[in-house]
């Protein structure tokens, strides 16, 4: 324990000594702020603030240009000083270790000055067109070191890897933009623009070409970032707690968080006469917050969005549809209560509303468009989510939620009629129905709405305050149940039975792929099964049927009848030569699509000239201190697991196309405890490369390993993959494993994806799809290198086993070919398709 503590203290000391610029800047901020705080409150502090703070009038009217830099060295309050100092040390220290000392100084000055200048120019444009927020903020004086901090961090991202760079930039800019929209303070705008300046400055300092291409990421990473965006935007209205005088664009969505310690009922009554003021906006919102139930109702939709973000992070389509539904609801509410009602309601009841909309028109527009944009982005990301949590689950959830609303609303109206004398004025059916939607809506959307009835009695107050809260809590409980049910059903029904079949020995070397997320399952009466997925109207199987020896042919024909009943074209993909021959006897046709490479550990040897490269790789690993680690993903330490994820993200980020799926696994697939990992780790604990090995069973005993996940760090030693595979084969020999399959590179065969031996289709009938698959293979080769991968595997002198595509009707070949392409690239967009065509035209 003492040795570990001493090691950590020495590491902390080395880190502290490596960031002298950071300590200098933090010291200046501390000294300047302490001097400011030590002055007597009043005139002296005000005079100092006049000299060092920045703002529109300060710069453009008094020409105090020095304030552009001095304003980032002062903090207003002691409590905020502690937070700023900690943030500055961590963020600037991290940045300095990547930028170096002098580039950190340059970045600090440039992002501060240019970020504030651009913000003031934007403010001047708003003043010129008489924009309300600009008019309100022109006299504001800003003191904020975080402006410089966020700009320097964004500059430093240009010197990081693609994974960390993408995370910081996406989450950082979303957070900054959320502050701008929900708070709208002058400093928020300066921070956003300083970050933008830092982004461009970093590219310049790193000599990177400015591109608009978004780096590719794995589905897991993309969902993580999407979840962060949903959570940040969901928590956005809480920002208004720290900005009580906000004039932000999304201010109407956050008005409910204003200080309620005022006589708002009297102000609201005064507003009803038509005397409009900003206080009226607050008062009408606060008139509905007279109790904990109403306050809770204002928070619950935001909590529901955070809950949805958790589900999105874990790949639940149900959570995505929940987030879409809430954002669409916010859009409709903003449109109705800020735009529609003030236009169509009787004139005598909308004097205040009309005046308010005239003053806050820009806020209203953005309040409608912002949640709508989030909803559209979520729907566009639907392809990132596995299908087991499909639309039916979401439809069932929304149907139950709608039914629950009818029940709760009916109970509220019925009881309110019974206790109608506890309302002022006395409640009638029409007034209760008119007021009913407002009982389920956060008060922020009702800021321009007159109050129809007020509760005065205890029962009426309880119902009035809590009916909406009870409903929203029930909806969130229902959402949690729905998201958990998706996972439990998936784990306890189909996949569990599939695992039993695979462990019993059903299927071939690729049988374990049937357990992967995204597959659908069909079961025969005797328990045999077929894993498949439907693309368009084509049902593509994941390898061959999971059935006992001698039953695969019969099960395949039964599955074909199942597909016919559903109007699907049946295609058996990557099946063995034995099943292909049996299907050919029934009139099926086939096409060779891949060749599996198999090594027998008991016969494997490193001797001979052809194995020279493998021996060299093993010897190089020994010289560099790289050793093999045989483990599983759940058994990894947090540090090693993080490095494996980073290697995966780095690999995907380098590609010009999305991560592939279907018979190619990623992080989600290697996380299975039954899947073995072989890591190459050096003496410093850095992971140089990783491979994953799918198990093949016979009667519950593992008899084979099949290579799946195969990725190396960009800075790893040469030959790390040869080292990992050779070590795996040798370990398999020690454990009496019968075979090690190096798997099959999709669409890559020794002589190209042409018609295989024994195929019944003629070149004329199979030529269209053969040419299409060849087209796809050639287009993907520069990006994914399947043919190069096949040549690499040939170094290990493997046996070749032909894998075929079997189909009934040659007329269906074009649709089958397109379906296979979509199965491997489910997130392929039109932009990526155009890129593929461009690659095909290159020499």
């Amino acid at each position: 324990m003492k040795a570990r503590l001493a090691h950590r203290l020495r590491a902390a000391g080395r880190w502290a000594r490596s960031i002298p610029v950071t300590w200098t800047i933090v010291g200046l901020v501390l000294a300047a702020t302490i001097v400011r705080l030590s002055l007597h409150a009043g005139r002296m502090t005000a005079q100092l603030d006049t000299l060092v703070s920045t703002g529109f009038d300060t710069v453009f009217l008094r020409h105090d240009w020095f304030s552009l830099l001095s304003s980032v060295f002062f903090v207003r309050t002691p409590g905020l000083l502690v937070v700023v100092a900690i943030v500055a040390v961590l963020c600037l220290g991290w940045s300095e270790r990547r930028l170096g000392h002098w580039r950190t100084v340059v970045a600090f000055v440039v992002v501060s000055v240019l970020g504030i200048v651009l913000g003031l120019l934007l403010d001047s444009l708003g003043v010129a067109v008489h924009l309300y927020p600009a008019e309100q903020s022109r006299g504001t004086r800003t003191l904020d070191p975080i402006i410089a901090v966020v700009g320097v961090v964004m500059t430093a991202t240009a010197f990081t890897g693609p994974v960390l760079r993408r995370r910081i930039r996406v989450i950082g800019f979303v957070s900054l933009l959320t502050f701008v929209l929900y708070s709208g303070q002058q400093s928020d705008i300066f921070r956003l623009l300083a970050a933008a300046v830092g982004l461009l400055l970093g590219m310049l300092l790193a000599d990177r070409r400015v591109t608009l291409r978004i780096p590719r990421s794995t589905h897991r990473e993309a969902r993580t970032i999407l979840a962060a965006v949903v959570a940040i935007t969901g928590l956005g209205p809480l920002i208004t707690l720290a900005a009580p005088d906000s004039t932000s664009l999304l201010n109407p969505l956050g008005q409910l968080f204003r200080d309620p310690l005022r006589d708002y009922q009297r102000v609201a009554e005064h507003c009803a006469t038509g005397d409009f003021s900003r206080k009226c906006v607050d008062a009408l919102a606060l008139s509905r917050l007279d109790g904990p139930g109403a306050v809770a109702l204002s928070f619950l939709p935001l909590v529901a969005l955070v809950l949805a973000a958790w589900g999105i992070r874990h790949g639940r389509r149900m959570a995505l549809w929940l987030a879409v539904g809430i954002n669409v609801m916010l859009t409709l509410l903003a449109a109705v209560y800020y735009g529609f009602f003030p236009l169509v309601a009787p004139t005598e009841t909308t004097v205040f509303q009309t005046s308010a909309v005239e003053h806050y028109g820009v806020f209203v527009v953005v309040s409608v468009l912002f949640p709508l944009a989030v909803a559209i982005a979520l729907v566009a990301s639907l392809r990132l989510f596995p299908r087991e949590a499909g639309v039916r689950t979401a439809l069932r959830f929304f149907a139950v939620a709608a039914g629950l609303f009818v029940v709760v609303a009916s109970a509220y109206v019925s009881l309110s009629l019974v206790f109608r004398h506890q309302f002022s004025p006395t409640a009638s059916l029409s007034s209760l129905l008119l007021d009913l939607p407002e009982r389920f809506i956060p008060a922020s959307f009702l800021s321009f709405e007159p109050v129809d009835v007020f509760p005065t009695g205890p029962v009426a107050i309880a119902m009035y305050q809590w009916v909406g809260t009870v409903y929203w809590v029930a909806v969130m409980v229902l959402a949690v149940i729905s998201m958990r049910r998706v996972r439990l059903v998936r784990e306890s029904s189909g996949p569990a039975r599939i695992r039993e079949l695979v462990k019993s020995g059903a299927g071939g070397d690729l049988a374990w792929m049937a357990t992967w997320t995204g597959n659908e399952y069909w079961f025969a009466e005797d328990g045999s099964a077929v894993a498949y997925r439907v693309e368009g109207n084509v049902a593509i199987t994941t390898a061959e049927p999971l059935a006992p020896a001698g039953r695969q042919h019969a099960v395949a024909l039964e599955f074909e009848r199942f597909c016919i009943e559903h109007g699907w074209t049946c295609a058996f993909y990557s099946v063995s030569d034995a099943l292909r021959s049996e299907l050919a006897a029934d009139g099926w046709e086939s096409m060779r699509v891949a060749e599996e490479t198999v090594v027998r550990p008991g016969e494997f040897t490193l001797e001979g000239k052809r194995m020279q490269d493998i021996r060299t790789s093993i010897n190089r690993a020994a010289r560099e201190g790289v050793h093999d680690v045989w483990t599983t993903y759940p058994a990894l330490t947090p540090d090693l697991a993080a490095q494996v994820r980073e290697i995966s993200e780095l690999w995907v980020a380098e590609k010009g196309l999305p991560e592939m799926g279907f018979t190619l696994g990623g992080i989600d697939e290697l996380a299975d405890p039954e899947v073995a990992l072989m890591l190459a780790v050096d003496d410093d604990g850095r992971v140089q490369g990783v491979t994953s090995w799918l198990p093949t069973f016979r009667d519950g005993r593992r008899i084979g390993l099949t290579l799946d996940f195969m990725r190396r760090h960009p800075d790893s030693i040469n030959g790390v993959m040869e080292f990992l595979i050779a070590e795996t084969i040798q370990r398999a020999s020690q454990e009496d494993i019968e075979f090690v399959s190096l798997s099959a590179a999709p669409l890559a065969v020794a002589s190209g994806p042409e018609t295989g031996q024994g195929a019944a289709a003629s070149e004329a009938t199979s030529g269209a799809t053969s040419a299409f698959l060849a087209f796809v293979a050639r287009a993907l080769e520069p990006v994914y290198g399947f043919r190069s991968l096949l040549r690499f595997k040939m170094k290990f002198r493997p046996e070749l086993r032909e894998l075929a595509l079997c189909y009934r009707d040659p007329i269906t070949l074009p649709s089958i070919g397109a379906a296979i392409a979509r199965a491997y690239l489910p997130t392929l967009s039109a932009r990526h398709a155009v890129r593929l065509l461009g690659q095909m035209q290159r020499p």
Side-chain angles (χ1 to χ4, degrees), residues 353-624:
Q353 293 166 280
T354 304
S355 179
V357 172
E358 289 176 356
H359 283 75
Y360 294 93
V362 176
F363 303 160
V364 170
V365 172
V366 180
S367 296
V368 173
L369 295 182
F370 183 69
L372 179 62
V374 174
I376 293 173
L378 288 168
V379 173
S381 304
L382 184 63
R383 293 175 294 181
L384 299 174
F385 293 78
R387 291 184 174 180
E388 80 280 355
V391 177
R392 288 175 293 183
T393 302
L395 291 177
R396 183 166 54 249
F397 164 78
F398 286 115
V400 174
L404 182 62
F405 174 81
V406 172
V407 172
V408 174
S410 299
Y412 169 74
V413 173
S414 300
L415 289 174
S416 297
L417 287 175
V418 174
F419 296 95
R420 59 184 176 274
H421 295 294
Q422 293 190 15
F423 288 89
S424 177
T426 301
S428 63
L429 179 60
S430 60
S431 63
L432 288 172
L433 291 177
L434 185 63
D435 180 71
L436 180 63
E438 299 178 9
R439 302 281 58 76
F440 300 87
I441 296 172
S444 60
F445 292 97
L446 308 176
S447 298
F448 301 157
E449 277 297 297
V451 180
D452 299 298
V453 291
F454 276 107
T456 56
V459 177
I461 291 175
M463 293 189 301
Y464 192 88
Q465 294 289 333
W466 289 100
V467 61
T469 301
V470 169
Y471 173 73
W472 273 98
V473 170
V475 167
M476 285 190 288
V477 171
L478 179 64
V480 172
I481 293 174
S482 298
M483 284 187 280
R484 288 180 60 84
R485 180 179 298 164
V486 167
R487 178 173 57 86
L488 293 174
V489 168
R490 176 175 170 265
E491 291 180 354
S492 63
S493 58
R497 296 174 63 184
I498 292 296
R499 282 176 178 263
E500 293 178 2
L501 284 170
V502 172
K503 288 191 173 183
S504 70
D509 302 348
L510 307 180
W512 191 260
M513 296 178 183
T515 66
W516 288 356
T517 297
N519 288 321
E520 303 288 344
Y521 302 114
W522 170 84
F523 291 93
E525 293 183 359
D526 65 348
S528 301
V530 174
Y532 68 99
R533 57 188 70 199
V534 178
E535 299 292 344
N537 287 321
V538 179
I540 312 169
T541 68
T542 303
E544 34 189 75
L546 303 176
R551 277 279 297 158
Q552 286 188 323
H553 177 221
V555 171
L557 296 181
E558 291 178 30
F559 177 71
E560 181 194 18
R561 287 192 290 271
F562 167 77
C563 293
I564 293 173
E565 292 174 359
H566 287 76
W568 300 333
T569 298
C570 181
F572 288 95
Y573 184 73
S574 293
V575 301
S576 65
D577 187 65
L579 179 59
R580 182 198 62 77
S581 299
E582 291 178 329
L583 291 175
D586 285 330
W588 286 66
E589 302 181 357
S590 64
M591 177 184 303
R592 184 172 48 156
V593 293
E595 283 178 319
E596 183 183 10
T597 49
V598 179
V599 176
R600 300 291 177 181
E603 303 172 2
F604 181 73
T605 177
L606 293 173
E607 298 178 358
K609 184 175 181 181
R610 293 180 57 186
M611 304 301 290
Q612 178 62 44
D613 287 347
I614 311 299
R615 293 196 301 271
T616 301
S617 299
I618 295 175
N619 294 333
R620 182 183 295 113
R623 289 195 306 270
E624 298 291 337

Side-chain angles (χ1 to χ4, degrees), residues 84-255:
V84 169
I86 295 174
V87 171
V89 169
L90 295 177
C91 295
L92 290 180
W94 176 86
S95 302
E96 185 177 352
R97 288 172 63 85
R98 285 150 182 81
L99 288 171
H101 308 317
W102 287 110
R103 281 189 293 204
T104 301
V105 174
V106 171
F108 188 90
V109 174
V110 171
V111 300
S112 301
V113 174
L114 291 185
I116 294 175
V117 167
L118 291 175
L120 295 178
L121 291 175
L122 187 64
D123 202 10
S124 66
L125 179 62
V127 171
V129 298
H130 304 291
L131 189 64
Y132 180 77
E135 293 284 356
Q136 289 290 103
S137 64
R138 62 174 297 170
T140 302
R141 299 179 183 275
T142 297
L143 295 172
D144 186 10
I146 301 299
I147 295 171
V149 171
V150 297
V152 174
V153 169
M154 286 300 170
T155 304
T157 58
F159 296 84
T160 63
V163 178
L164 189 59
R165 180 164 63 241
R166 177 177 57 244
R167 288 183 179 180
I168 294 177
R169 289 177 178 178
V170 172
I171 297 176
F173 274 106
V174 170
S175 301
L176 293 171
L177 183 61
T178 301
F179 267 90
V180 169
L181 294 175
Y182 280 96
S183 175
Q185 301 297 301
Q186 193 175 63
S187 58
D188 297 319
I189 299 174
F190 292 163
R191 292 172 193 165
L192 178 63
L193 294 174
V197 172
L199 187 67
L200 297 176
L201 178 63
M203 295 179 182
L204 180 64
L205 293 176
D207 196 22
R208 292 181 181 272
R209 186 177 61 181
V210 179
T211 61
L212 298 178
R213 185 178 71 86
I214 300 176
R216 302 306 311 173
S217 62
T218 63
H219 296 171
R220 175 187 287 260
E221 175 70 7
R223 291 196 300 264
T224 298
I225 294 176
L226 186 64
V229 170
V230 172
I232 292 170
T233 56
L235 294 174
L238 299 183
I239 296 172
T240 56
L241 286 170
D245 298 321
S246 167
T247 57
S248 64
L249 292 176
L250 291 183
N251 178 263
L253 297 183
Q255 288 173 359

